[in-house]
Amino acid sequence: MLAQYVYPSRFGLMRIVKHGRRWRALLEEREIARHESAETALSAMRAAFARARIPASLALWRQIPASTRLAHRGLS
């Protein structure tokens, strides 16, 4: 699993997902844009979906940390 931030909005599940060295901004499964940082992805999502009342700080989003393949498979 990749590192990501998740926020349930009235338009659907908003996600900011680490993808390589860039961040993908998604609404449900639809990609909105790609950004250099999670903060710029958040700013763009807030601008695009102003009526969704998305929090201005990533600290208010649920963070799901990246897991390693070994941990995912139950191997040490």
Side-chain angles (χ1 to χ4, degrees), residues 1-36:
M1 179 189 300
L2 302 172
Q4 64 181 300
Y5 293 93
V6 180
Y7 183 77
S9 77
R10 63 189 254 187
F11 294 111
L13 188 63
M14 302 280 188
R15 296 186 303 142
I16 299 173
V17 180
K18 179 79 171 170
H19 188 256
R21 64 176 209 272
R22 300 192 73 194
W23 292 84
R24 296 172 63 197
L26 299 123
L27 173 58
E28 295 292 340
E29 298 298 319
R30 188 184 71 181
E31 182 174 324
I32 306 303
R34 293 187 186 201
H35 302 275
E36 294 300 318

Side-chain angles (χ1 to χ4, degrees), residues 18-74:
K18 179 79 171 170
H19 188 256
R21 64 176 209 272
R22 300 192 73 194
W23 292 84
R24 296 172 63 197
L26 299 123
L27 173 58
E28 295 292 340
E29 298 298 319
R30 188 184 71 181
E31 182 174 324
I32 306 303
R34 293 187 186 201
H35 302 275
E36 294 300 318
S37 71
E39 291 78 13
T40 57
L42 174 59
S43 294
M45 289 183 87
R46 286 179 44 87
F49 299 98
R51 297 184 66 194
R53 297 184 180 172
I54 301 169
S57 170
L58 286 173
L60 299 174
W61 288 51
R62 179 175 177 208
Q63 182 180 14
I64 302 172
S67 61
T68 64
R69 290 184 184 182
L70 293 177
H72 178 70
R73 294 182 183 168

